Amino acid sequence: MTALTDLPAPVAGGGPAATGAARRVWQRLRTRPAALTAGAVLVLLVLLAAGAPLLAALAGQDPHSYHDDLVDSARGGVPYGSFGGISAEHWLGVEPGTGRDLFVRLLYGARISLLVALGATAVQVLIGVALGLAAGLGGRWADAVIGRVTDVFVALPFLVLAIALTAVVPRDFPRPLLLILVIGLIGWAGTSRIVRAQTLTLKSLDFVSAARLAGSGPWRTARRELLPSLAAPVLTYAAVLVPSNIVTEASLSFLGVGVTPPTPSWGQMLSTAQTWFRADPAYVLLPAGVLFATVLACTVLGDAVRAALDPREAARVRAPRKVRKEKTP
């Protein structure tokens, strides 16, 4: 979890300077090979997930068709051939026991993981920003009430509560939507704390005081003066939330309370693969490797975005090095 002191400092003002700021951030990211590599991995993953139906049609497969002739029933359903049954028709092999194509199921699983992670992050950011602004701009009582509610949500056992909520909801409710709501409605407290702290800092700056003296109300001030300045820390924290939400979705699906069959999910595949790790290691390594690569890329890119948005980091980059002058004899 990113500490509050690691977030970019609030930047006063917004408006036309946003384009120039975005250009400077891009220029800083271009100097980081790790960030560019992570971004390329994520772009490739998004393109593969978005084009899953097209790629499935190109491979001549779909995520739900069983191929009993590709698994050895005498050995309990282990795929024929090496490396999980890799062939010209099945590029990454087939699923043990069912013979379903692994390549296509990984693509459709990426859709679920990215959809849930991004949707839950959006819910967390919306709730956190709204309550953080209300606490920072409201009076003492509003700040106290919202602060205590935030403390309660921070103290809640996240995974236990998420399991309980997803388990009691009827099975016919759309599971991806349920995961988005559960993760988003439980995990907004960190965003709220960050926005409140930054709002209290910005309130004391001259441009906010001038707007309030000019007759701007609290919410008009928040919309026109505070939100542009809060963009950097909120975006930085959102970049940290995305990989965390990917892992949460995979954990819930692994425990059997997330996405339900036949909808493919990386966590669900890992849950099934635990009984096949000796007979077919590829079935374990493929979803685990894709999940690891996605979370690592999100983490690296999020850290690079934090550094690029931080004006203190930019000042350190621009600071000239001192050169010692040699004394002449």
Side-chain angles (χ1 to χ4, degrees), residues 70-84:
L70 299 178
V71 295
D72 187 357
S73 58
R75 299 173 57 199
V78 178
Y80 289 113
S82 58
F83 302 105

Side-chain angles (χ1 to χ4, degrees), residues 234-290:
V234 170
L235 286 175
T236 301
Y237 193 67
V240 176
L241 288 174
V242 171
S244 175
N245 290 336
I246 290 176
V247 173
T248 301
E249 182 276 326
S251 301
L252 293 174
S253 297
F254 178 84
L255 295 172
V257 293
V259 177
T260 55
T263 304
S265 166
W266 292 342
Q268 179 194 111
M269 294 173 71
L270 286 172
S271 177
T272 308
Q274 62 181 330
T275 59
W276 297 96
F277 70 95
R278 290 183 182 274
D280 186 12
Y283 186 41
V284 182
L285 295 176
L286 284 173
V290 174

Side-chain angles (χ1 to χ4, degrees), residues 169-179 181 260:
V169 175
R171 304 295 287 184
D172 57 350
F173 191 89
R175 305 307 284 186
L177 177 59
L178 175 62
L179 291 176
L181 294 176
T260 55

Side-chain angles (χ1 to χ4, degrees), residues 143-155:
D143 189 14
V145 171
I146 295 175
R148 298 296 78 75
V149 173
T150 303
D151 291 341
V152 170
F153 273 84
V154 169

Side-chain angles (χ1 to χ4, degrees), residues 4 10 128-138 143 191-205 207-208 212 218-219 221-222 225-227 229-230 233-234:
L4 184 59
V129 168
L131 292 180
L133 282 172
L137 292 176
D143 189 14
T191 308
S192 177
R193 281 186 165 182
I194 289 169
V195 172
R196 174 189 174 275
Q198 302 283 32
T199 300
L200 292 177
T201 301
L202 290 168
K203 278 174 60 176
S204 61
L205 299 182
F207 75 100
V208 177
R212 301 182 74 170
W219 298 114
T221 302
E225 307 295 340
L226 296 180
L227 285 178
S229 302
L230 290 170
V234 170

